Amino acid sequence: MVGSANMDIVFSVERIPSPGETLLADSVARYPGGKGLNQAVAAARAGAATTFIGALGKDENGSELFATMADAGIDSSLVRRVAADTGQAFIVVADSAENTIIVASGANARVASLTDSERDAVSGAAVLLLQLELPLEVVIESALAARSAGTTVMLNAAPARDIPDELIATLDYLIVNEHEASLLGGSEDLAEASHRLAARVEHLIVTLGREGSVIYRRGDEAARVPARDVMAIDTTGAGDTFCGAFAAAIAEGQGIADAATFATAAAALSVQILGAVPSIPSRDRIEAMLAEPA
Ligand code: RIB
């Protein structure tokens, strides 16, 4: 995992405020988060040996996130502690479980290139999972290093931004939600956007929340994976849980549809608890959900 780590400050409110409006929150709490850390925790809890490459500040938030990695059994020996604030995310979660997120990158923005040890770790991994919360140059460098070493490369294109062809060419798997698919595929018509995007990568997975996910292989729709109907409390980190669990399943040799089914169950469990890292399920819980009749 080459990715971001943030301390999330989560405000629970009745509804998402409008521009210019002040709302009183029902509660506020801090939880470990960040797309990279959430995905690393999801992979580790799903049973994968996971190494985290990224940066934390030398502050209290950094120490808490470092402890979170240890608790999850993540190898944090390459994590940098830099002279910057640890990344923070300000999250508003409404009663409907929808959220809005603003990220202050802090230490994450300092990861501009890989050290030799980090490059070796990337090259020695079975799977590299990336997101777009670190500087784009290190995402590209990591993907190129992985590609040339034969490591499977996965990108979760979140937060959405244009992906250069150089990066796309390294990918074995691209994972996006509906919003990211429309943006990157250049159409408000999701099917059209997804097909355009699918034509650029070997495997594309479009996650659709409670509608499950659609898998494309070499430009064509290959499978649809339904989601379980669950009561959502907070969807923050559900996409990350999907990505981390999916990466773990692919790393252990599951086929793409089985891996997506496993990851979909993990994501469904994650929306039932407030907070990103606290909501990410263990493998036992994922397997128990899969064993239940749909
Ligand atoms: O995907 C959810 C994550 O986005 C949050 O944990 C927050 O830190 C932001 O990175």
Side-chain angles (χ1 to χ4, degrees), residues 44-59:
R45 288 189 184 156
T50 306
T51 298
F52 188 86
I53 294 171
L56 301 170
K58 295 175 183 166
D59 48 13

Side-chain angles (χ1 to χ4, degrees), residues 135-224:
L136 189 59
E137 54 269 35
V138 79
V139 175
I140 295 173
E141 183 189 348
S142 305
L144 288 169
R147 183 79 188 176
S148 61
T151 298
T152 296
V153 187
M154 293 182 187
L155 173 69
N156 172 221
R161 54 169 296 168
D162 280 340
I163 313 175
D165 289 339
E166 184 190 16
L167 177 54
I168 285 272
T170 66
L171 302 180
D172 295 290
Y173 298 88
L174 174 62
I175 306 171
V176 290
N177 65 20
E178 300 164 72
H179 165 73
E180 292 146 3
S182 283
L183 218 118
L184 294 171
S187 170
E188 280 178 16
D189 181 314
L190 182 61
E192 187 182 329
S194 300
H195 274 104
R196 280 192 205 163
L197 206 49
R200 297 176 68 198
V201 284
E202 180 75 8
H203 299 103
L204 170 73
I205 295 144
V206 182
T207 60
L208 305 169
R210 53 178 70 243
E211 303 302 319
S213 59
V214 188
I215 299 169
Y216 296 83
R217 195 193 307 263
R218 295 193 196 110
D220 293 323
E221 187 177 315
R224 278 182 180 256

Side-chain angles (χ1 to χ4, degrees), residues 6 8 33-35 38 89 91 101 103 133 236-237 240 276:
N6 298 325
D8 292 350
K35 296 187 192 304
N38 296 339
I91 303 182
I101 303 179
V103 175
E133 252 180 8
T236 310
D240 298 330

